Amino acid sequence: MTSSVRLSVSRVRLQGIAGMLLGLGAFVSVSPAHAQDSRNTRAQDSLAVRAAAAPTNVVWLDTLDLSTWQQRRQRPRARLSLRGKPITMHGVVYPRGVGTLTINEFLIDVKGAADRFVAMVGIDDEMRTGRGSVNFEVWADDRLIASSGIIRAGDAPKLLVADLSGARIVQLITDDGQDTSNDDNADWGGAMFVMKPGSTERPTPYTLPPDGPADISRETNAKPSINGPRITGATRGRPFLFRIPATGEGPLTYAAKNLPDGVTLDTNTGIIAGSLTRAATTDVELTVRGAQGVASRRLTIVGGTDKLALTPPMGWNSWNAWGTDVDADKVRRSADAMEQSGLVAHGFQYVNIDDGWEGTRTPDGELPADATKFPDMKALGDYLHAKGLKFGIYSSPGPRTCGGKTGSYEHELQDARTWARWGVDLLKHDYCSYERIKPGFALETLQAPYRVMRAALDSVDRDMVYSIGNYGYGEAWKWAAEVGGELWRTTGDLTDSWSNLESVGFRQAGREQYAGPGRWNDTDMLVVGNVGIGPALHPTKLTQNEQVLHITLWAMQAAPLLLGADMSQLDAFTIALLTNDEVLDVDQDMLGTAGGRVWKVQKLEVWSRPLWDGTTAVALFNRGMKPYEVTARWSDIGVRGRQPVRDLWRRRDLGSFTDAFTTIVPRHGAAMLKVGTPRATP
């Protein structure tokens, strides 16, 4: 952020500033310096606080229709804090303003008739002792014109003044300070638009016009193709399972040369199963035959310690579809739908039961499943394994899960043994309720429960991928691998709104250095398809172009691709989005070098990542409100000279280009390219 958009009280030099502060209502008798001085907070309590009459050229933010204000949870409140109390910051009451919760966004059409926007911004005193952190931004026509910087609970509010000369569409953003929305009750105190003298125009809420369909390939190919990861691993002596993802007109038959000792291939299903007898790396030559030809590809099988999740897991999680209403029948139907939709043939393999499966511990401490919903967990695991799919489960290191069910606190080893008997292949371990046992966010406190569970998982005779769900507390991406995680959440929950997707997705820039084979940054479940925590599901609120950006960004980051949708209701576009093997190959690239941002100007970005075949994946992002040209420069992505370029979403060669490639990217959209000539690959 440049200093030109960080506007503090001491730097504001605007004609009529005293009148503006009077209009804010809370500062009738308080100087700006006094309002920013935390030592004088108590003194402000005795001030007579009243709303002043606003100048005739002022329009209060709280008088606008707030129904189009996108907010992650709850709704913004006019002239009240999020909890319905008077807006209060640092002991000063603001009669005017809007109380919000991060992450949120509001678009306003000021019709070119506004001079400036003014507000006192900060965290409401109702969260003064919390751990909230927020950032307020004002954008005008896709240009950042004012930013508060990070404001934390207990900090004095800041005066935010934005010059709106010539502006048309203003965007107010309240972000979560790059952590989570916990305690982020954020206020736009006394917020007003100062209109041009004599103007009769009035700001109105603005909604982007309908977006057209995304330009992506929807083709299918009758010729056989082997898809999915090119590498997989397991611990010697433990159960091994891998289904060869393959497409093409059937019936398909499978063959493999040089399989490692201890595993065999079912030539009709393509399932490789058994138990590796040696800790070694083996290159296996796979062949698939179908009615329209033959396909071959190499699969590297790695036997050894800590060789799980060598590519990011792909599959499905029950939470966004069913919440705690999940049951065995829904899980079976979801697995069937994942197979019938073709997703399994493109590499999706995990079927993960989230919260809601738990029963009540027995007197000896055993935690069974809720028998009314899951009468036989072992049978359910066997059902999934018979399809060549992996079985995931959920728990919490605390006494209670996020859904109020029984957690694993002080029963870690007992639960790990139960899950091993059921045939579980992945554990998602959610931090909910542990902070009641160990308050605070000291690093050792955050790490301790995960060390305990990792030791428990290691002690049983079954491989389980360990998914750490602490929402990024303590910058988990820096240490989660050390405590045994194969993947870890880096953020709060993702929702199907543009503001949330944009904030969560693009804050990952810089964290790619902590990812690699067997250690992945998890930016949460995909919000495509029918989502919403059932049974009240709805089609994702993201436009098609936003969904393309979503999958592109996750693939560039090498993030897990875990669907949260109702698998029985996938439409043709969602299936096309999730079965583009050229895009999935970037996410599943066996080199495992996650991508990151290499260029950014305002709402435009370029990301890149090197691929195992010697080429470079490049993504051009447009976060703005209209189409823009975006250029990928070879100097930014580490290549030079004349290079071939392929459009991965459209599956089309675009030709060769020298030093750079430029294309128009739709609003809230992405283009995804492969640059360079692949090395000869098996």
CSV table of all heavy atoms in Angstrom, one decimal, residues 94-151:
chain,number,residue,atom,x,y,z
A,94,TYR,N,-21.4,7.7,17.9
A,94,TYR,CA,-21.6,8.3,16.6
A,94,TYR,C,-23.1,8.1,16.2
A,94,TYR,O,-23.5,6.9,16.0
A,94,TYR,CB,-20.8,7.6,15.5
A,94,TYR,CG,-19.3,7.8,15.7
A,94,TYR,CD1,-18.6,7.2,16.7
A,94,TYR,CD2,-18.6,8.7,14.9
A,94,TYR,CE1,-17.2,7.4,16.9
A,94,TYR,CE2,-17.3,9.0,15.1
A,94,TYR,CZ,-16.6,8.3,16.1
A,94,TYR,OH,-15.3,8.6,16.3
A,95,PRO,N,-23.9,9.1,16.2
A,95,PRO,CA,-25.3,9.0,15.9
A,95,PRO,C,-25.6,8.5,14.5
A,95,PRO,O,-26.6,7.9,14.2
A,95,PRO,CB,-25.9,10.4,16.1
A,95,PRO,CG,-24.9,11.1,17.0
A,95,PRO,CD,-23.6,10.5,16.6
A,96,ARG,N,-24.6,8.8,13.6
A,96,ARG,CA,-24.8,8.4,12.2
A,96,ARG,C,-23.7,7.3,11.9
A,96,ARG,O,-22.6,7.3,12.5
A,96,ARG,CB,-24.6,9.6,11.2
A,96,ARG,CG,-25.4,10.8,11.5
A,96,ARG,CD,-26.9,10.5,11.6
A,96,ARG,NE,-27.5,9.9,10.4
A,96,ARG,CZ,-28.4,10.5,9.6
A,96,ARG,NH1,-28.9,11.7,10.0
A,96,ARG,NH2,-28.9,9.9,8.5
A,97,GLY,N,-24.0,6.5,10.9
A,97,GLY,CA,-23.0,5.5,10.4
A,97,GLY,C,-23.6,4.2,10.1
A,97,GLY,O,-24.8,4.0,10.2
A,98,VAL,N,-22.7,3.2,9.8
A,98,VAL,CA,-23.1,1.8,9.5
A,98,VAL,C,-22.2,0.9,10.3
A,98,VAL,O,-21.0,1.0,10.2
A,98,VAL,CB,-23.1,1.6,8.0
A,98,VAL,CG1,-23.4,0.1,7.7
A,98,VAL,CG2,-24.0,2.5,7.2
A,99,GLY,N,-22.8,-0.1,11.0
A,99,GLY,CA,-22.1,-1.1,11.7
A,99,GLY,C,-22.1,-2.4,10.8
A,99,GLY,O,-23.1,-2.8,10.3
A,100,THR,N,-20.9,-3.0,10.7
A,100,THR,CA,-20.7,-4.1,9.8
A,100,THR,C,-19.9,-5.2,10.4
A,100,THR,O,-19.3,-5.0,11.5
A,100,THR,CB,-20.0,-3.7,8.5
A,100,THR,OG1,-18.6,-3.4,8.8
A,100,THR,CG2,-20.7,-2.5,7.9
A,101,LEU,N,-19.8,-6.3,9.7
A,101,LEU,CA,-18.9,-7.4,10.1
A,101,LEU,C,-18.1,-7.7,8.8
A,101,LEU,O,-18.6,-7.8,7.7
A,101,LEU,CB,-19.6,-8.7,10.5
A,101,LEU,CG,-18.8,-9.9,10.8
A,101,LEU,CD1,-18.0,-9.7,12.2
A,101,LEU,CD2,-19.6,-11.2,10.9
A,102,THR,N,-16.8,-7.9,9.0
A,102,THR,CA,-15.9,-8.2,7.9
A,102,THR,C,-16.2,-9.7,7.5
A,102,THR,O,-16.7,-10.5,8.3
A,102,THR,CB,-14.4,-8.1,8.2
A,102,THR,OG1,-14.1,-9.1,9.2
A,102,THR,CG2,-14.1,-6.7,8.6
A,103,ILE,N,-16.1,-10.1,6.2
A,103,ILE,CA,-15.6,-9.4,5.0
A,103,ILE,C,-16.8,-8.8,4.3
A,103,ILE,O,-17.8,-9.5,4.2
A,103,ILE,CB,-14.8,-10.3,4.1
A,103,ILE,CG1,-13.7,-11.0,4.9
A,103,ILE,CG2,-14.4,-9.7,2.9
A,103,ILE,CD1,-13.1,-12.2,4.2
A,104,ASN,N,-16.8,-7.5,3.9
A,104,ASN,CA,-18.0,-7.0,3.2
A,104,ASN,C,-17.6,-6.0,2.1
A,104,ASN,O,-16.5,-5.5,2.1
A,104,ASN,CB,-18.9,-6.4,4.2
A,104,ASN,CG,-18.4,-5.2,4.9
A,104,ASN,OD1,-18.2,-4.1,4.4
A,104,ASN,ND2,-18.2,-5.4,6.3
A,105,GLU,N,-18.6,-5.6,1.3
A,105,GLU,CA,-18.4,-4.7,0.2
A,105,GLU,C,-19.7,-4.0,-0.2
A,105,GLU,O,-20.8,-4.7,-0.1
A,105,GLU,CB,-17.9,-5.5,-1.1
A,105,GLU,CG,-17.8,-4.8,-2.4
A,105,GLU,CD,-17.5,-5.7,-3.5
A,105,GLU,OE1,-18.5,-6.4,-4.0
A,105,GLU,OE2,-16.4,-5.7,-4.0
A,106,PHE,N,-19.6,-2.7,-0.5
A,106,PHE,CA,-20.8,-2.0,-0.9
A,106,PHE,C,-20.4,-1.1,-2.1
A,106,PHE,O,-19.4,-0.4,-2.0
A,106,PHE,CB,-21.3,-1.1,0.3
A,106,PHE,CG,-22.6,-0.5,0.1
A,106,PHE,CD1,-23.7,-1.1,-0.6
A,106,PHE,CD2,-22.9,0.8,0.6
A,106,PHE,CE1,-24.9,-0.6,-0.7
A,106,PHE,CE2,-24.1,1.4,0.4
A,106,PHE,CZ,-25.1,0.7,-0.2
A,107,LEU,N,-21.2,-1.2,-3.1
A,107,LEU,CA,-21.0,-0.4,-4.3
A,107,LEU,C,-22.0,0.7,-4.4
A,107,LEU,O,-23.2,0.5,-4.2
A,107,LEU,CB,-21.1,-1.3,-5.6
A,107,LEU,CG,-20.2,-2.5,-5.7
A,107,LEU,CD1,-20.5,-3.2,-7.0
A,107,LEU,CD2,-18.7,-2.1,-5.6
A,108,ILE,N,-21.5,1.9,-4.7
A,108,ILE,CA,-22.4,3.1,-4.8
A,108,ILE,C,-22.1,3.9,-6.1
A,108,ILE,O,-20.9,4.1,-6.4
A,108,ILE,CB,-22.2,4.0,-3.6
A,108,ILE,CG1,-22.3,3.3,-2.2
A,108,ILE,CG2,-23.2,5.2,-3.6
A,108,ILE,CD1,-20.9,3.0,-1.6
A,109,ASP,N,-23.1,4.3,-6.8
A,109,ASP,CA,-23.0,5.1,-7.9
A,109,ASP,C,-23.1,6.6,-7.5
A,109,ASP,O,-24.2,7.0,-7.1
A,109,ASP,CB,-24.1,4.8,-9.0
A,109,ASP,CG,-23.9,5.5,-10.3
A,109,ASP,OD1,-23.0,6.4,-10.3
A,109,ASP,OD2,-24.7,5.2,-11.2
A,110,VAL,N,-22.0,7.3,-7.5
A,110,VAL,CA,-22.1,8.7,-7.1
A,110,VAL,C,-22.3,9.6,-8.3
A,110,VAL,O,-22.3,10.9,-8.1
A,110,VAL,CB,-20.8,9.1,-6.3
A,110,VAL,CG1,-20.8,8.3,-5.0
A,110,VAL,CG2,-19.6,9.0,-7.1
A,111,LYS,N,-22.4,9.1,-9.5
A,111,LYS,CA,-22.8,9.8,-10.7
A,111,LYS,C,-21.9,11.0,-11.1
A,111,LYS,O,-22.3,11.9,-11.7
A,111,LYS,CB,-24.2,10.3,-10.5
A,111,LYS,CG,-25.2,9.2,-10.2
A,111,LYS,CD,-26.6,9.8,-9.9
A,111,LYS,CE,-27.6,8.7,-9.7
A,111,LYS,NZ,-27.4,7.9,-8.5
A,112,GLY,N,-20.6,10.9,-10.6
A,112,GLY,CA,-19.7,11.9,-10.9
A,112,GLY,C,-20.0,13.2,-10.2
A,112,GLY,O,-19.4,14.3,-10.6
A,113,ALA,N,-20.8,13.2,-9.2
A,113,ALA,CA,-21.3,14.4,-8.6
A,113,ALA,C,-20.8,14.6,-7.2
A,113,ALA,O,-21.2,15.5,-6.4
A,113,ALA,CB,-22.8,14.5,-8.6
A,114,ALA,N,-19.9,13.7,-6.7
A,114,ALA,CA,-19.4,13.8,-5.3
A,114,ALA,C,-18.0,14.4,-5.3
A,114,ALA,O,-17.2,14.2,-6.2
A,114,ALA,CB,-19.4,12.4,-4.7
A,115,ASP,N,-17.8,15.2,-4.2
A,115,ASP,CA,-16.4,15.8,-4.0
A,115,ASP,C,-15.6,14.8,-3.2
A,115,ASP,O,-14.4,14.6,-3.5
A,115,ASP,CB,-16.5,17.1,-3.2
A,115,ASP,CG,-16.6,18.3,-4.2
A,115,ASP,OD1,-16.3,18.1,-5.3
A,115,ASP,OD2,-17.1,19.4,-3.7
A,116,ARG,N,-16.1,14.2,-2.1
A,116,ARG,CA,-15.3,13.4,-1.3
A,116,ARG,C,-16.3,12.5,-0.4
A,116,ARG,O,-17.4,12.8,-0.2
A,116,ARG,CB,-14.4,14.2,-0.4
A,116,ARG,CG,-15.0,15.3,0.4
A,116,ARG,CD,-14.0,16.2,1.0
A,116,ARG,NE,-14.6,17.4,1.7
A,116,ARG,CZ,-15.0,18.5,1.1
A,116,ARG,NH1,-14.8,18.6,-0.2
A,116,ARG,NH2,-15.5,19.5,1.8
A,117,PHE,N,-15.6,11.5,0.2
A,117,PHE,CA,-16.3,10.6,1.1
A,117,PHE,C,-15.5,10.7,2.4
A,117,PHE,O,-14.3,10.7,2.4
A,117,PHE,CB,-16.3,9.2,0.7
A,117,PHE,CG,-16.8,8.2,1.7
A,117,PHE,CD1,-18.1,8.0,1.8
A,117,PHE,CD2,-15.9,7.4,2.4
A,117,PHE,CE1,-18.6,7.1,2.8
A,117,PHE,CE2,-16.3,6.5,3.4
A,117,PHE,CZ,-17.7,6.3,3.5
A,118,VAL,N,-16.2,10.8,3.6
A,118,VAL,CA,-15.6,11.0,4.9
A,118,VAL,C,-16.2,10.1,5.9
A,118,VAL,O,-17.4,9.9,5.9
A,118,VAL,CB,-15.8,12.5,5.4
A,118,VAL,CG1,-15.0,12.7,6.6
A,118,VAL,CG2,-15.4,13.5,4.3
A,119,ALA,N,-15.4,9.5,6.7
A,119,ALA,CA,-15.9,8.6,7.8
A,119,ALA,C,-14.8,8.4,8.9
A,119,ALA,O,-13.6,8.5,8.6
A,119,ALA,CB,-16.3,7.2,7.2
A,120,MET,N,-15.2,8.2,10.1
A,120,MET,CA,-14.3,7.7,11.1
A,120,MET,C,-14.5,6.2,11.2
A,120,MET,O,-15.7,5.7,11.3
A,120,MET,CB,-14.7,8.3,12.5
A,120,MET,CG,-14.4,9.8,12.6
A,120,MET,SD,-12.6,10.2,12.4
A,120,MET,CE,-12.0,9.5,13.9
A,121,VAL,N,-13.4,5.5,11.1
A,121,VAL,CA,-13.6,4.0,10.9
A,121,VAL,C,-12.8,3.3,12.0
A,121,VAL,O,-11.7,3.8,12.4
A,121,VAL,CB,-13.1,3.6,9.5
A,121,VAL,CG1,-14.0,4.1,8.4
A,121,VAL,CG2,-11.6,4.0,9.3
A,122,GLY,N,-13.3,2.2,12.4
A,122,GLY,CA,-12.6,1.4,13.5
A,122,GLY,C,-13.4,0.2,14.0
A,122,GLY,O,-14.5,0.0,13.4
A,123,ILE,N,-13.0,-0.4,15.0
A,123,ILE,CA,-13.7,-1.5,15.6
A,123,ILE,C,-14.5,-1.0,16.7
A,123,ILE,O,-14.1,-0.2,17.6
A,123,ILE,CB,-12.7,-2.6,16.2
A,123,ILE,CG1,-12.0,-3.2,15.0
A,123,ILE,CG2,-13.4,-3.7,17.0
A,123,ILE,CD1,-11.0,-4.3,15.4
A,124,ASP,N,-15.8,-1.4,16.8
A,124,ASP,CA,-16.7,-0.9,17.8
A,124,ASP,C,-16.3,-1.3,19.2
A,124,ASP,O,-15.7,-2.4,19.4
A,124,ASP,CB,-18.1,-1.5,17.5
A,124,ASP,CG,-19.2,-0.7,18.3
A,124,ASP,OD1,-19.4,-1.0,19.4
A,124,ASP,OD2,-19.8,0.2,17.7
A,125,ASP,N,-16.5,-0.4,20.2
A,125,ASP,CA,-16.1,-0.7,21.5
A,125,ASP,C,-16.8,-2.0,22.1
A,125,ASP,O,-16.2,-2.5,23.1
A,125,ASP,CB,-16.5,0.5,22.4
A,125,ASP,CG,-15.6,1.6,22.3
A,125,ASP,OD1,-14.6,1.5,21.5
A,125,ASP,OD2,-15.8,2.7,23.0
A,126,GLU,N,-17.8,-2.5,21.5
A,126,GLU,CA,-18.4,-3.7,22.0
A,126,GLU,C,-17.4,-4.9,21.8
A,126,GLU,O,-17.6,-6.0,22.4
A,126,GLU,CB,-19.7,-4.0,21.3
A,126,GLU,CG,-19.6,-4.2,19.8
A,126,GLU,CD,-21.0,-4.2,19.1
A,126,GLU,OE1,-22.0,-3.8,19.7
A,126,GLU,OE2,-21.1,-4.6,17.9
A,127,MET,N,-16.4,-4.7,21.0
A,127,MET,CA,-15.3,-5.7,20.8
A,127,MET,C,-14.0,-5.2,21.2
A,127,MET,O,-12.9,-5.7,20.8
A,127,MET,CB,-15.3,-6.1,19.3
A,127,MET,CG,-16.5,-6.8,18.8
A,127,MET,SD,-16.6,-8.4,19.7
A,127,MET,CE,-18.2,-8.9,19.2
A,128,ARG,N,-14.0,-4.3,22.1
A,128,ARG,CA,-12.7,-3.6,22.5
A,128,ARG,C,-11.7,-4.6,23.1
A,128,ARG,O,-10.5,-4.4,23.0
A,128,ARG,CB,-13.0,-2.5,23.5
A,128,ARG,CG,-11.8,-1.6,23.8
A,128,ARG,CD,-12.1,-0.4,24.5
A,128,ARG,NE,-11.0,0.5,24.6
A,128,ARG,CZ,-11.0,1.7,25.1
A,128,ARG,NH1,-12.2,2.2,25.6
A,128,ARG,NH2,-9.9,2.5,25.3
A,129,THR,N,-12.2,-5.6,23.8
A,129,THR,CA,-11.2,-6.6,24.4
A,129,THR,C,-11.1,-7.8,23.6
A,129,THR,O,-10.5,-8.8,24.0
A,129,THR,CB,-11.7,-7.0,25.8
A,129,THR,OG1,-13.1,-7.6,25.7
A,129,THR,CG2,-11.8,-5.8,26.7
A,130,GLY,N,-11.6,-7.8,22.3
A,130,GLY,CA,-11.5,-8.9,21.5
A,130,GLY,C,-10.2,-9.0,20.7
A,130,GLY,O,-9.3,-8.2,21.0
A,131,ARG,N,-10.1,-9.9,19.7
A,131,ARG,CA,-8.9,-10.0,18.9
A,131,ARG,C,-9.1,-9.6,17.5
A,131,ARG,O,-8.4,-10.0,16.6
A,131,ARG,CB,-8.4,-11.5,19.0
A,131,ARG,CG,-9.4,-12.5,18.4
A,131,ARG,CD,-8.8,-13.9,18.5
A,131,ARG,NE,-9.7,-14.9,17.9
A,131,ARG,CZ,-10.5,-15.6,18.6
A,131,ARG,NH1,-10.7,-15.4,19.9
A,131,ARG,NH2,-11.2,-16.5,18.0
A,132,GLY,N,-10.1,-8.7,17.3
A,132,GLY,CA,-10.5,-8.3,16.0
A,132,GLY,C,-9.4,-7.4,15.3
A,132,GLY,O,-8.6,-6.8,16.0
A,133,SER,N,-9.3,-7.5,14.0
A,133,SER,CA,-8.4,-6.6,13.2
A,133,SER,C,-9.1,-6.4,11.9
A,133,SER,O,-9.6,-7.3,11.3
A,133,SER,CB,-7.1,-7.3,13.0
A,133,SER,OG,-7.2,-8.5,12.3
A,134,VAL,N,-9.1,-5.1,11.4
A,134,VAL,CA,-9.9,-4.8,10.2
A,134,VAL,C,-9.1,-3.8,9.4
A,134,VAL,O,-8.1,-3.2,9.9
A,134,VAL,CB,-11.3,-4.2,10.6
A,134,VAL,CG1,-12.1,-5.1,11.4
A,134,VAL,CG2,-11.1,-2.9,11.4
A,135,ASN,N,-9.5,-3.7,8.1
A,135,ASN,CA,-8.9,-2.7,7.2
A,135,ASN,C,-10.0,-2.2,6.4
A,135,ASN,O,-10.8,-2.9,5.8
A,135,ASN,CB,-7.9,-3.4,6.3
A,135,ASN,CG,-7.3,-2.4,5.3
A,135,ASN,OD1,-6.9,-1.3,5.7
A,135,ASN,ND2,-7.3,-2.8,4.0
A,136,PHE,N,-10.1,-0.9,6.3
A,136,PHE,CA,-11.1,-0.2,5.5
A,136,PHE,C,-10.5,0.4,4.2
A,136,PHE,O,-9.4,1.0,4.3
A,136,PHE,CB,-11.8,1.0,6.3
A,136,PHE,CG,-12.5,0.6,7.6
A,136,PHE,CD1,-11.7,0.3,8.7
A,136,PHE,CD2,-13.8,0.4,7.6
A,136,PHE,CE1,-12.4,0.0,9.9
A,136,PHE,CE2,-14.5,0.1,8.8
A,136,PHE,CZ,-13.8,-0.2,9.9
A,137,GLU,N,-11.2,0.2,3.1
A,137,GLU,CA,-10.7,0.7,1.9
A,137,GLU,C,-11.8,1.4,1.1
A,137,GLU,O,-13.0,1.0,1.2
A,137,GLU,CB,-10.1,-0.4,1.0
A,137,GLU,CG,-8.9,-1.0,1.5
A,137,GLU,CD,-8.3,-2.1,0.6
A,137,GLU,OE1,-9.0,-2.5,-0.3
A,137,GLU,OE2,-7.2,-2.6,0.9
A,138,VAL,N,-11.4,2.4,0.4
A,138,VAL,CA,-12.3,3.1,-0.6
A,138,VAL,C,-11.7,3.1,-2.0
A,138,VAL,O,-10.6,3.5,-2.1
A,138,VAL,CB,-12.6,4.6,-0.2
A,138,VAL,CG1,-13.6,5.2,-1.1
A,138,VAL,CG2,-13.1,4.7,1.3
A,139,TRP,N,-12.5,2.5,-2.9
A,139,TRP,CA,-12.0,2.4,-4.3
A,139,TRP,C,-13.0,3.3,-5.1
A,139,TRP,O,-14.2,3.4,-4.8
A,139,TRP,CB,-12.1,1.0,-4.8
A,139,TRP,CG,-11.1,0.1,-4.2
A,139,TRP,CD1,-11.1,-0.4,-2.9
A,139,TRP,CD2,-9.9,-0.5,-4.8
A,139,TRP,NE1,-10.0,-1.2,-2.7
A,139,TRP,CE2,-9.3,-1.3,-3.8
A,139,TRP,CE3,-9.4,-0.4,-6.1
A,139,TRP,CZ2,-8.1,-2.0,-4.1
A,139,TRP,CZ3,-8.2,-1.0,-6.4
A,139,TRP,CH2,-7.6,-1.8,-5.4
A,140,ALA,N,-12.5,3.9,-6.2
A,140,ALA,CA,-13.3,4.6,-7.1
A,140,ALA,C,-12.9,4.2,-8.5
A,140,ALA,O,-11.8,4.3,-8.9
A,140,ALA,CB,-13.1,6.1,-6.9
A,141,ASP,N,-13.9,3.6,-9.2
A,141,ASP,CA,-13.6,3.1,-10.6
A,141,ASP,C,-12.4,2.3,-10.7
A,141,ASP,O,-11.5,2.5,-11.6
A,141,ASP,CB,-13.6,4.3,-11.5
A,141,ASP,CG,-14.8,5.2,-11.5
A,141,ASP,OD1,-15.9,4.6,-11.3
A,141,ASP,OD2,-14.7,6.4,-11.5
A,142,ASP,N,-12.3,1.3,-9.8
A,142,ASP,CA,-11.2,0.3,-9.7
A,142,ASP,C,-9.8,0.9,-9.4
A,142,ASP,O,-8.8,0.3,-9.7
A,142,ASP,CB,-11.1,-0.4,-11.1
A,142,ASP,CG,-12.3,-1.4,-11.3
A,142,ASP,OD1,-12.8,-1.9,-10.3
A,142,ASP,OD2,-12.6,-1.7,-12.4
A,143,ARG,N,-9.8,2.1,-8.8
A,143,ARG,CA,-8.6,2.7,-8.2
A,143,ARG,C,-8.7,2.8,-6.7
A,143,ARG,O,-9.7,3.3,-6.2
A,143,ARG,CB,-8.3,4.0,-8.9
A,143,ARG,CG,-8.0,4.1,-10.3
A,143,ARG,CD,-7.8,5.5,-10.8
A,143,ARG,NE,-9.0,6.3,-10.6
A,143,ARG,CZ,-9.0,7.3,-9.7
A,143,ARG,NH1,-8.0,7.5,-8.9
A,143,ARG,NH2,-10.1,8.0,-9.6
A,144,LEU,N,-7.7,2.4,-6.0
A,144,LEU,CA,-7.7,2.5,-4.6
A,144,LEU,C,-7.3,4.0,-4.2
A,144,LEU,O,-6.3,4.5,-4.6
A,144,LEU,CB,-6.6,1.6,-3.9
A,144,LEU,CG,-6.5,1.6,-2.4
A,144,LEU,CD1,-7.8,1.2,-1.7
A,144,LEU,CD2,-5.4,0.7,-2.0
A,145,ILE,N,-8.3,4.6,-3.5
A,145,ILE,CA,-8.0,6.0,-3.2
A,145,ILE,C,-7.9,6.3,-1.7
A,145,ILE,O,-7.5,7.4,-1.3
A,145,ILE,CB,-9.1,6.9,-3.8
A,145,ILE,CG1,-10.5,6.5,-3.3
A,145,ILE,CG2,-9.1,6.8,-5.3
A,145,ILE,CD1,-11.6,7.4,-3.8
A,146,ALA,N,-8.2,5.4,-0.8
A,146,ALA,CA,-8.1,5.6,0.6
A,146,ALA,C,-8.0,4.3,1.3
A,146,ALA,O,-8.8,3.4,1.0
A,146,ALA,CB,-9.2,6.5,1.2
A,147,SER,N,-7.2,4.2,2.3
A,147,SER,CA,-7.1,2.9,3.1
A,147,SER,C,-6.7,3.3,4.5
A,147,SER,O,-5.9,4.1,4.8
A,147,SER,CB,-6.0,2.0,2.5
A,147,SER,OG,-5.8,0.9,3.4
A,148,SER,N,-7.3,2.6,5.5
A,148,SER,CA,-7.1,2.8,6.9
A,148,SER,C,-5.8,2.1,7.4
A,148,SER,O,-5.3,2.5,8.4
A,148,SER,CB,-8.2,2.4,7.7
A,148,SER,OG,-8.4,1.0,7.7
A,149,GLY,N,-5.4,1.1,6.7
A,149,GLY,CA,-4.4,0.2,7.3
A,149,GLY,C,-5.0,-0.6,8.3
A,149,GLY,O,-6.2,-0.5,8.6
A,150,ILE,N,-4.3,-1.5,8.9
A,150,ILE,CA,-4.9,-2.4,9.9
A,150,ILE,C,-5.2,-1.7,11.2
A,150,ILE,O,-4.4,-0.9,11.8
A,150,ILE,CB,-3.9,-3.6,10.3
A,150,ILE,CG1,-3.6,-4.4,9.0
A,150,ILE,CG2,-4.5,-4.5,11.3
A,150,ILE,CD1,-4.7,-5.1,8.4
A,151,ILE,N,-6.5,-1.8,11.7
A,151,ILE,CA,-6.9,-1.3,12.9
A,151,ILE,C,-7.3,-2.5,13.8
A,151,ILE,O,-8.1,-3.3,13.4
A,151,ILE,CB,-8.1,-0.4,12.8
A,151,ILE,CG1,-7.8,0.8,11.8
A,151,ILE,CG2,-8.6,0.2,14.1
A,151,ILE,CD1,-9.0,1.7,11.5
